[in-house]
């Protein structure tokens, strides 16, 4: 007889985590950026929010967003298979998610007057700060690459609009990361990186939603 063996509810749920990850991360980070004493979006990267007495909020934000991103990576594997990008896109997004856990474990060094009471200037570089930059850099490069991999998949599927959107997002984010890596606290570099972060998370949400909608409603198999 015919029975319902498996629905697409699990991959849809995983991709729903990808839809929600960005709005959660950006909302929590911006809420802190506008309310915490001494924080300046033009001078301080969001990673600095993990310092000080309220730093646990951003640390928790990193961890929860990381878990949602890892779930989204698993959903991508199901949504893209079989076909181009089914292997590398989930791996790259998964590494990005794992890098956020690393960022939570190794907080950025206090600098440039934040948290409040920190002296101006670049501050003291510690092992935690070095590891924070290292894991962040790996994650940012991987998620930028994921944009191009998924763009290639969309192009192969004849969805040129989504392909160009993914390429533009990857390029913008990669450029904004390069700017802040070499900008050293310059206002335009910090603000460009904020724009790059928002653009990336919007892309993650929209791609997760699009792929979720492309999943079949059910899979039917024969059984007894």
């Amino acid at each position: 007889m015919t029975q319902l063996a498996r629905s697409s509810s699990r991959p849809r749920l995983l991709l729903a985590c990808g839809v929600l990850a960005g709005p959660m991360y950006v909302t929590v980070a911006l809420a802190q950026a506008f309310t915490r004493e001494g924080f300046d979006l033009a001078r301080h990267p969001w990673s600095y929010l993990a310092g000080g007495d309220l730093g646990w909020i951003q640390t928790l934000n990193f961890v929860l967003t990381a878990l949602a991103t890892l779930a989204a990576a698993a959903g991508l594997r199901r949504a893209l298979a079989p076909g181009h990008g089914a292997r590398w896109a989930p791996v790259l997004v998964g590494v990005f998610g794992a890098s956020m856990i690393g960022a939570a474990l190794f907080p950025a060094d206090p600098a440039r007057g934040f948290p409040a009471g920190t002296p101006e200037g670049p501050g003291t570089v510690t092992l935690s700060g070095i590891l924070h930059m290292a894991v962040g850099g790996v994650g940012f490069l991987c998620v930028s690459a994921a944009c191009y991999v998924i763009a290639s998949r969309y192009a192969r599927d004849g969805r040129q609009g989504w392909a160009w959107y993914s390429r533009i997002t990857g390029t913008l984010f990669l450029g904004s990361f390069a700017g802040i890596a070499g900008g050293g606290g310059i206002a335009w570099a910090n603000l460009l990186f904020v724009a790059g972060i928002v653009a990336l998370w919007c892309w993650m949400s929209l791609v997760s939603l699009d792929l979720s909608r492309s999943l079949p409603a059910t899979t039917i198999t024969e059984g007894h």
Side-chain angles (χ1 to χ4, degrees), residues 4-214:
L4 178 63
R6 174 179 57 84
S7 74
S8 61
S9 59
R10 182 178 179 184
R12 286 182 191 277
L13 180 60
L14 293 171
L15 288 170
C17 292
V19 175
L20 297 175
M24 175 180 66
Y25 179 75
V26 172
T27 298
V28 173
L30 286 179
Q32 295 176 83
F34 289 123
T35 57
R36 289 192 59 181
E37 180 184 358
F39 191 87
D40 184 349
L41 281 171
R43 300 180 62 228
H44 304 131
W46 291 1
S47 292
Y48 284 19
L49 291 167
D53 292 341
L54 296 176
W56 64 270
I57 298 175
Q58 184 64 4
T59 298
L60 183 61
N61 194 24
F62 277 137
V63 172
L64 293 179
T65 306
L67 294 176
T69 303
L70 290 169
L76 286 174
R77 182 176 295 276
R78 297 284 291 274
L80 293 173
H84 184 78
R87 173 179 295 179
W88 283 108
V91 169
L92 293 166
V93 171
V95 172
F96 175 54
S99 76
M100 298 189 74
I101 295 178
L105 292 174
F106 308 111
D109 294 321
R112 303 189 187 104
F114 190 85
T118 300
E120 291 294 336
T124 302
V125 178
T126 67
L127 178 60
S128 177
I130 292 172
L131 291 174
H132 182 90
M133 291 186 288
V135 298
V138 170
F140 293 154
L141 291 174
C142 284
V143 76
S144 297
C147 290
Y148 297 119
V149 172
I150 292 178
S152 179
R153 170 60 179 265
Y154 275 130
R156 286 171 179 254
D157 291 346
R159 306 184 68 187
Q160 296 301 328
W162 280 95
W164 277 109
Y165 173 48
S166 297
R167 294 187 193 108
I168 291 170
T169 301
T171 302
L172 172 61
F173 184 72
L174 189 60
S176 70
F177 171 54
I180 198 171
I186 298 174
W188 69 263
N190 279 306
L191 293 175
L192 179 62
F193 191 54
V194 170
I197 291 172
V198 173
L200 176 72
W201 284 116
C202 286
W203 173 83
M204 183 76 74
S205 292
L206 292 174
V207 167
S208 296
L209 181 61
D210 176 67
L211 294 176
S212 176
R213 288 175 172 175
S214 71

